[in-house]
Amino acid sequence: MTVTDLSSRPGPPALVLVAHGSRDPRALSTVRALMDRVRARCPGLSVRLGHIELNEPLLPDTLAALGNTEAVLVPLLLGRGHHVKRDIPETAAAARARIAAPLGPHPLLADTLHARLLEAGWRPRPASAVVLAAAGSRDPDARADTDRMAGLLAARLRVPVLAAYASAAAPSVPDAISALRAKGRHRIAVASYFTAPGRFATESAAHAPWLASAPLGAHEAMADLVVHRYERALGTPVTAAA
């Protein structure tokens, strides 16, 4: 993907990355690294960061700092849950902001998950399988989005992929591992379906019987996906295909 310099055009809406927030300091450094990658793809575009909770800047403060500048909020969330359906829209309603779709599910996430698994040592082997470890939600739409992502990853890896959750939904990661073992799958990897490091990602990885990948993080494909979601919400491309 090549970049388009926006500095000579009328100012487009700011792109605001909306992160959940975490007490793990690695989360903040990860989303800042992702923000830097997005900025590199879109010179001249105002790219900001706002958190739902736990970290500064909080999203209302980021939007207040933009003043009358329009914004597109791109949730760094992986499906439709409470934050996407309620918290972010309520905050956006008080500002000149529109909301992009959450990052997942999307084939670019399958690319990222595959890359992270390869980094961890993944190689397809007889009787191998993957547990897609996600945060979890009581919202059925969020679970449906995770199941769809598991299907996209399974098509990419050509091995069974079972979605599992760190909280609020079933199966748990240990239960998913047991279910795969019962089907004769003994080389089981845990794919960390988390935007950034944190408690749930760490706990999920600890259950891995073989290997566990790192969270999605600031991978190149993640930056591409953020820009894609922004462009779809805006209805105007800000990058040009090579």
Side-chain angles (χ1 to χ4, degrees), residues 13-15 71-75 97-101 225-237:
L15 188 163
V72 174
L73 311 185
V74 180
R98 67 191 85 180
I99 306 170
L225 181 53
V226 167
V227 176
H228 170 72
R229 292 303 195 202
Y230 172 86
E231 290 178 333
R232 288 292 298 271
L234 191 60
T236 301

Side-chain angles (χ1 to χ4, degrees), residues 131 173 177 181 186-190 204-212:
V131 170
V173 173
I177 292 169
R181 280 176 168 161
H186 302 297
R187 301 290 288 184
I188 302 171
V190 172
S204 297
H207 294 296
W210 175 26
L211 59 84

Side-chain angles (χ1 to χ4, degrees), residues 163-205:
Y165 303 96
S167 69
S172 67
V173 173
D175 286 347
I177 292 169
S178 296
L180 288 169
R181 280 176 168 161
K183 295 180 179 179
R185 300 287 170 171
H186 302 297
R187 301 290 288 184
I188 302 171
V190 172
S192 297
Y193 193 43
F194 302 93
T195 305
R199 179 169 65 90
F200 285 160
T202 300
E203 291 175 354
S204 297

Side-chain angles (χ1 to χ4, degrees), residues 148 189 196:
R148 184 179 167 206

